Amino acid sequence: MCDRERGWSEVPLDKTWQLIAGSAVAGLALSVAVVSAAGPWDSGQRKAERDRVASWGPTGGADHGPGGLPVPAPSAPGVLGAIGPAVPRTEAATASEGLAAALRPLLADPALGTVRTASVVDTATGEVLFESGARDAMTPASTIKIATAAAALAALGPEHRIRTTVVPGAGPGQIVLVGGGDPSLTARKKKPAGSGGSLVALAADTARALKAAGTDSVSVGYDDGLYTGPARHPIGENPNIAPVTALTADEGRPDESASGPADRTDDPSGDAARAFAALLAERGVKVTGAPVRAGAAQGAQPLAATFSTPLAGLVERMLTNSDNDIAEALARQTALASGQPASFEGGEKAVASRLDSLGLDTSGCRFSDGSGLGRTDKVSAGLLTGLLAKATDPAHPQLRPVLTGLPVAGFTGTLRSRNAGTSPAAGLLRAKTGTLTGVNSLAGTVVDPSGRLVAFAFLTANSPDGPAAEKGLDKLAAAVAATS
């Protein structure tokens, strides 16, 4: 089993956010205070969350029906704003002893399996507050997505968008749909909250261009040759991931789902091309024959183009929902930006190289995929806390979405039901989950009672009971949140 993906395609939110959107329900003030403390949002306010909140309000919102403009949710403070002044060395030593005393008995819980490693660091100073086997390489499950995110952002930057184009084909009367690897590409006429590539808009723009040129009949080809190597993940057919191709709409989901396990198409590229051809026909362009693989005319200029969600948004969505399809797409985009083949092997080399360039120690680590679905992935707890600390560094602002995309305990994504309610971590802790059979992990950040922004990672193996292991990890994370 991989991480259980839940909820909205961009950022699933707890019902508490509905209170922030304007519902007159008791406890509003408390909910606002807790969630505001959880910050940060993208540029002070997470756009995907703002749109989702607005959709629950009576006035509608982005792509959520009629009724005026969306009412924005209250802004949350930046993650670095909560960091207190430097802690004197003697006080820091005492704090580390207290943290160790709190964590050691929790780390000994048999529910965590036979192997447990841990790393807790002060992100501002780099001081190690607690560690146990922090350099040991472990199967990380989906916490490897933190590495995938950091590598992609380092390679391409947070504003990068992936382009899908339509160009003239090599044959007469032919146009070719060229995939660029956009994992946010959709063929749906009503998109989820947030921007992304749209085959609907692309078909409309293409139809206008064709009609302006006096063309009302075409054949449609498609080109997904940007990616190389096997399209199917080594784990085989699995509802948690579609075949990885450069041309995929709606993550190869034939149903209306936007996240979580679902049956996937065996032919994402062909399905996307057929959907595009149907959309063209709806706009008055006659399409002759069925779409086929084809190449573009040499030196052809695009007739139309559509662009993905900015990379920062893709990273946030990937981390919040533990989206495996986005993760594999980002690994391949990192490969392309690094001069490597856009394949599983190329992605592995590119991710490792980008993390090395950030000054991180990747010795003993393997990034055999971008999603963490594979058991050949190997990552240490120390690498994960190093990545999270690097994302807080003012010298690396491009890595900030690694932090803003992490699920919020008790509120969003794969942490929506974990460390919730009265937990000291509820609304304050942000972390990426990792779950495979016998493997459980958790890595993220929290501001401790002394005002330090702390990064932590806990990796376990051979756990006999997944839910019990998750509870053990949640206790460890809550202890970090409550101990200074």
Side-chain angles (χ1 to χ4, degrees):
M1 296 292 291
C2 77
D3 278 357
R4 292 180 293 278
E5 300 170 354
R6 309 175 180 94
W8 195 255
S9 68
E10 285 290 332
V11 181
L13 300 175
D14 191 272
K15 287 294 183 183
T16 308
W17 280 100
Q18 188 172 2
L19 307 184
I20 302 174
S23 299
V25 178
L28 173 61
L30 175 60
S31 299
V32 172
V34 171
V35 179
S36 294
W41 290 4
D42 183 23
S43 301
Q45 187 174 72
R46 293 264 304 265
K47 298 177 180 63
E49 292 185 0
R50 180 186 63 203
D51 289 345
R52 177 62 166 151
V53 168
S55 75
W56 284 341
T59 57
D63 294 322
H64 295 295
L69 296 174
V71 179
S75 294
V79 69
L80 299 181
I83 298 177
V87 179
R89 185 172 297 276
T90 54
E91 292 183 24
T94 302
S96 296
E97 291 172 6
L99 185 61
L103 293 182
R104 283 197 184 104
L106 296 175
L107 201 60
D109 184 353
L112 294 175
T114 60
V115 185
R116 315 92 184 243
T117 66
S119 175
V120 184
V121 302
D122 182 331
T123 62
T125 65
E127 179 187 3
V128 175
L129 303 178
F130 177 82
E131 63 179 12
S132 177
R135 299 297 173 266
D136 297 344
M138 301 274 287
T139 299
S142 278
T143 53
I144 203 172
K145 290 184 174 79
I146 294 172
T148 305
L153 289 164
L156 294 160
E159 298 303 319
H160 178 75
R161 291 177 181 259
I162 303 166
R163 188 172 70 158
T164 304
T165 60
V166 176
V167 300
Q174 184 186 60
I175 59 172
V176 179
L177 176 65
V178 182
D182 174 10
S184 68
L185 187 67
T186 180
R188 295 171 184 168
K189 296 179 182 179
K190 185 176 177 62
K191 293 191 295 182
S195 59
S198 171
L199 285 179
V200 180
L202 186 61
D205 290 344
T206 302
R208 279 193 290 269
L210 291 171
K211 291 175 182 177
T215 302
D216 58 7
S217 177
V218 295
S219 63
V220 173
Y222 63 94
D223 182 350
D224 62 354
L226 186 64
Y227 290 174
T228 60
R232 185 73 71 178
H233 191 284
I235 63 172
E237 187 174 346
N238 190 287
N240 291 294
I241 189 169
V244 186
T245 78
L247 180 61
T248 301
D250 301 301
E251 299 187 341
R253 299 170 182 271
D255 59 15
E256 291 299 311
S257 67
S259 65
D263 290 336
R264 307 303 183 93
T265 177
D266 291 329
D267 184 16
S269 300
D271 284 355
R274 286 184 283 274
F276 176 72
L279 290 165
L280 270 181
E282 289 176 9
R283 283 150 185 80
V285 177
K286 182 180 178 181
V287 177
T288 60
V292 296
R293 278 194 171 85
Q298 184 147 7
Q301 294 300 307
L303 298 171
T306 186
F307 294 85
S308 74
T309 301
L311 191 68
L314 293 176
V315 163
E316 287 186 340
R317 175 174 165 181
M318 174 187 70
L319 293 173
T320 300
N321 290 343
S322 198
D323 192 303
N324 300 308
D325 300 278
I326 294 177
E328 298 302 347
L330 294 187
R332 278 162 172 71
Q333 295 294 319
T334 303
L336 290 169
S338 305
Q340 294 288 343
S343 62
F344 283 105
E345 294 80 6
E348 177 174 6
K349 292 177 182 178
V351 169
S353 176
R354 291 293 173 173
L355 299 188
D356 288 340
S357 71
L358 289 171
L360 296 159
D361 180 9
T362 61
S363 56
C365 297
R366 273 207 68 186
F367 309 95
S368 57
D369 65 18
S371 62
L373 287 172
R375 292 179 181 271
T376 55
D377 292 319
K378 298 297 176 183
V379 168
S380 68
L383 175 64
L384 291 175
T385 53
L387 279 166
L388 292 165
K390 190 72 68 173
T392 73
D393 188 344
H396 296 281
Q398 75 276 21
L399 301 182
R400 180 180 171 82
V402 172
L403 303 180
T404 60
L406 295 173
V408 180
F411 285 89
T412 62
T414 55
L415 282 188
R416 184 172 179 173
S417 61
R418 294 176 59 176
N419 264 321
T422 58
S423 167
L428 301 176
L429 179 143
R430 309 185 73 111
K432 181 71 200 75
T433 56
T435 309
L436 295 169
T437 302
V439 173
N440 297 91
S441 54
L442 191 67
T445 64
V446 69
V447 178
D448 73 9
S450 70
R452 293 182 299 191
L453 181 67
V454 174
F456 64 86
F458 302 106
L459 304 177
T460 73
N462 307 318
S463 56
D465 183 319
E470 287 183 357
K471 289 180 181 177
L473 290 172
D474 290 346
K475 289 177 183 177
L476 285 162
V480 175
T483 307
S484 61

